[in-house]
Amino acid sequence: SEDGVVNQIILAMIVYLLTLLIKLKLELKQTIFQILRVFRSVQFECYDYFGKIFDPG
């Protein structure tokens, strides 16, 4: 239905913007697509674990 399509578009925009904010906050070099792939693989881990994955050192 039309409402379902609108909801999916809005949710996709929210996910994109939140991912962009995390990328900027952590100063990541990876693309948003790469970050989203990591989100899917560590979705049940703590935030510190996510930060360690992208830690350059």
Side-chain angles (χ1 to χ4, degrees):
S1 71
E2 185 177 340
D3 289 339
V5 172
V6 171
N7 284 339
Q8 285 183 344
I9 292 171
I10 291 171
L11 287 172
M13 289 186 341
I14 290 170
V15 168
Y16 176 81
L17 292 173
L18 287 174
T19 306
L20 182 62
L21 287 173
I22 290 173
K23 178 180 176 169
L24 295 174
K25 178 74 174 173
L26 294 178
E27 299 176 359
L28 301 175
K29 303 292 184 220
Q30 289 80 4
T31 65
I32 290 181
F33 180 73
Q34 291 170 328
I35 296 169
L36 286 172
R37 283 180 39 189
V38 172
F39 279 157
R40 288 186 197 108
S41 66
V42 297
Q43 62 184 339
F44 299 112
E45 303 293 334
C46 68
Y47 181 79
D48 293 332
Y49 181 73
F50 174 78
K52 289 178 187 175
I53 290 175
F54 290 108
D55 187 21

